[in-house]
């Protein structure tokens, strides 16, 4: 049925991860409502905003890494995750 | 703060179901294409990040992206001020208001291909009325001069989409209570001061929608250049979406096209997020103050 979507394992993991993330954030938000704070980004965000910002920052960082560094992909992934974590914590 | 009832979010579920079939499943498929070399569902090879390396170092694609950005910025700079100006001078009530609204909305209800064909014929320097005249006056020929081709596509986009800005701004202006204008009149405010300190702050929300819609639509512009110039002359109007279609449907290189689409998608996401954040900055400040 889904043969036409030419599934691969990495893509499946990413999308299931996003789904779990959204559902998890919803349940978490129900039991402990998110607090708004203002970090180094200079805008007021709650944790959902920061998850989104760190997610697209990671994606954009990876594109830049692939475009300008050309290689050492795992170093790039590590740095990208570090960047996302910094935004999540102090953004 | 009053606790909100979040159960209303369940009402969004049908939309999510529809979006799943029109956007999410295709997006997943594109993500799968982007890391494989697909010949058909049975024979495909996993290639990892190969397409991304190719895409990000391809000068054709990079210049197409630059062109799209340039086009969007020019379109916004023309359409938003023009839309506000037209909405401000439109009649406020009576049959004149209805007539003006209908007249303004005409470009919005014409199918996009028809708009392209109409302008194509209108602008041809041999048989088109506008094209013939401009050709005699300024030697205008959009099939050979890159500047003319660009200007023509920009003109068509302004003609097609300024009405949307006008309608949004007009609705926004009508929702401002008369009391504000009366207070401004008592203070002896000039017409510009009324616009700057009464209308513009009240219009912020509709302008947010207008800027977002117009940016995304002009960044993804496809039909008009496809019908009118076909991306030419040379590659003067080969915008990012035109090139993407050439790669995906023309060359049937779905792997490269998939990687290209994902990058396109992220750029749109980031630009929309930036616009949204900048334009709602004040609201966010107010939210924090009330806490």
């Amino acid at each position: 049925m889904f043969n036409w979507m030419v599934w691969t394992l990495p893509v499946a993991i990413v999308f299931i991860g996003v789904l779990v993330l959204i559902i998890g954030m919803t349940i978490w938000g129900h039991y402990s409502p998110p607090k708004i704070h203002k970090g180094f980004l200079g805008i007021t965000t709650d944790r959902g905003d920061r998850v989104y910002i760190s997610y697209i920052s990671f994606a954009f960082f990876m594109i830049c890494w692939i475009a300008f560094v050309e290689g050492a992909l795992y170093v790039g992934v590590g740095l990208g995750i570090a960047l996302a974590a910094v935004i999540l914590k102090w953004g | 703060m009053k606790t909100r009832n979040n159960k209303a979010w369940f009402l969004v579920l049908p939309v999510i179901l529809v979006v799943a079939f029109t956007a999410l499943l295709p997006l997943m498929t594109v993500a799968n294409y982007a890391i494989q070399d697909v010949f058909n569902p049975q024979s495909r090879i996993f290639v990892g990040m190969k397409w991304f390396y190719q895409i990000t170092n391809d000068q054709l694609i990079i210049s197409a992206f630059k062109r799209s950005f340039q086009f969007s910025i020019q379109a916004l700079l023309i359409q938003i001020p023009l839309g506000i100006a037209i909405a401000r001078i439109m009649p406020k009530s009576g049959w004149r208001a209805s007539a003006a609204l209908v007249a303004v909305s005409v470009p919005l209800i014409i199918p996009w291909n028809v708009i392209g064909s109409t302008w194509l014929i209108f602008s041809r320097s041999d048989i088109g009325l506008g094209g013939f005249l401009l050709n005699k006056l300024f030697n205008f020929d959009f099939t050979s001069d890159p500047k003319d081709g660009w200007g023509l596509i920009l003109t068509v986009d302004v003609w097609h989409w300024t009405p949307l800005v006008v309608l949004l701004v007009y609705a926004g202006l009508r929702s401002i209570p008369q009391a504000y204008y009366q207070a401004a009149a008592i203070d002896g405010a000039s017409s510009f001061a009324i616009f700057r300190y009464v209308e513009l702050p009240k219009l912020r929300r509709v302008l947010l929608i207008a800027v977002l819609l117009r940016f995304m639509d002009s960044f993804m512009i496809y039909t008009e250049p496809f019908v009118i110039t076909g991306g030419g002359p040379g590659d003067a109007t080969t915008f990012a979406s035109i090139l993407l279609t050439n790669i995906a449907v023309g060359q049937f290189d779905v792997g490269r096209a998939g990687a290209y689409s994902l990058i396109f998608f992220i750029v749109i996401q980031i630009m929309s997020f930036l616009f949204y954040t900048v334009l709602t900055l004040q609201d966010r400040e107010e939210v924090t103050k009330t806490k």
Side-chain angles (χ1 to χ4, degrees):
Chain A
M1 183 186 172
F2 290 111
N3 199 26
W4 60 275
M5 292 177 75
V6 292
W7 277 105
T8 53
L9 188 63
V11 173
I13 292 172
V14 167
F15 277 103
I16 291 170
V18 171
L19 194 69
V20 169
L21 186 70
I22 292 172
I23 294 172
M25 293 291 291
T26 311
I27 295 171
W28 186 18
H30 182 78
Y31 287 106
S32 100
K35 290 184 220 45
I36 292 174
H37 92 152
K38 194 168 178 173
F40 69 85
L41 290 174
I43 53 172
T44 52
T45 52
D46 66 16
R47 62 175 176 245
D49 294 331
R50 286 198 297 281
V51 166
Y52 176 72
I53 295 170
S54 53
Y55 209 91
I56 54 174
S57 305
F58 175 75
F60 189 68
F61 177 81
M62 285 317 295
I63 291 174
C64 293
W65 185 271
I66 285 172
F68 299 117
V69 183
E70 299 186 33
L73 202 58
Y74 287 103
V75 181
V77 172
L79 287 176
I81 290 174
L83 172 73
V86 166
I87 292 173
L88 270 181
K89 180 74 181 142
W90 293 291
Chain B
M1 200 177 99
K2 194 171 160 255
T3 45
R4 285 193 202 153
N5 185 352
N6 281 325
K7 286 205 177 65
W9 282 105
F10 286 115
L11 298 177
V12 182
L13 280 178
V15 177
I16 291 178
L17 205 64
V18 172
V19 169
F21 281 96
T22 58
L24 285 180
L25 291 185
L27 179 69
M28 289 171 180
T29 315
V30 163
N32 281 313
Y33 283 156
I35 55 170
Q36 297 181 93
D37 202 351
V38 181
F39 302 101
N40 60 50
Q42 280 73 41
S43 53
R44 50 200 168 102
I45 307 162
F46 185 80
V47 294
M49 292 283 124
K50 181 184 160 193
W51 302 127
F52 288 90
Y53 283 113
Q54 280 195 7
I55 293 290
T56 50
N57 292 298
D58 191 331
Q59 279 310 315
L60 266 181
I61 291 174
I62 293 168
S63 54
F65 262 98
K66 280 185 191 154
R67 225 170 275 133
S68 283
F69 265 113
Q70 212 180 338
F71 183 81
S72 296
I73 290 164
Q74 289 180 7
L76 280 183
L77 285 179
I78 297 173
Q79 291 173 13
I80 300 291
L82 187 63
I84 296 174
I86 294 176
R88 283 196 81 208
I89 58 170
M90 269 167 58
K92 291 179 177 56
S93 58
W95 67 270
R96 283 192 185 83
S98 315
L101 279 175
V102 171
V104 161
S105 336
V106 165
L108 291 175
I109 54 172
I110 302 176
W112 297 14
N113 290 4
V114 177
I115 286 181
S117 319
T118 313
W119 277 87
L120 175 64
I121 295 167
F122 178 69
S123 315
R124 278 182 58 157
S125 49
D126 50 354
I127 54 167
L129 184 63
F132 184 78
L133 195 68
L134 284 172
N135 185 266
K136 290 287 171 242
L137 291 174
F138 309 106
N139 208 11
F140 171 89
D141 186 3
F142 71 90
T143 53
S144 64
D145 188 339
K147 278 205 186 66
D148 291 348
W150 179 280
L152 177 60
I153 301 292
L154 193 61
T155 311
V156 174
D157 197 60
V158 168
W159 181 83
H160 189 178
W161 287 111
T162 307
L164 180 75
V165 182
V166 172
L167 290 184
L168 285 168
V169 172
Y170 186 78
L173 284 176
R174 292 289 76 75
S175 71
I176 301 174
Q178 277 303 313
Y180 285 90
Y181 289 103
Q182 286 157 4
I186 290 168
D187 289 341
S190 66
S191 169
F192 177 77
I194 292 176
F195 172 67
R196 172 67 187 80
Y197 296 104
V198 176
E199 292 181 341
L200 211 52
K202 289 275 167 201
L203 286 177
R204 203 158 41 88
R205 279 165 191 285
V206 288
L207 283 180
L208 163 73
I209 299 169
V211 168
L212 266 180
L213 283 177
R214 283 315 306 133
F215 174 79
M216 287 193 292
D217 278 348
S218 59
F219 192 71
M220 300 187 290
I221 184 168
Y222 178 73
T223 317
E224 287 91 341
F226 174 72
V227 174
I228 297 174
T229 61
D235 55 3
T237 54
T238 305
F239 298 112
S241 53
I242 295 263
L243 190 58
L244 175 60
T245 316
N246 286 347
I247 295 172
V249 187
Q251 306 167 1
F252 233 88
D253 198 346
V254 288
R256 275 178 76 204
Y260 189 159
S261 312
L262 287 186
I263 295 174
F264 206 164
F265 179 61
I266 288 169
V267 170
I268 293 270
Q269 285 269 311
I270 291 174
M271 292 310 295
S272 309
F273 180 76
L274 287 181
F275 275 125
Y276 180 78
T277 311
V278 168
L279 289 163
T280 55
L281 213 53
Q282 209 176 329
D283 296 344
R284 285 166 176 265
E285 299 295 328
E286 279 158 15
V287 166
T288 11
K289 269 180 210 151
T290 53
K291 293 234 152 188

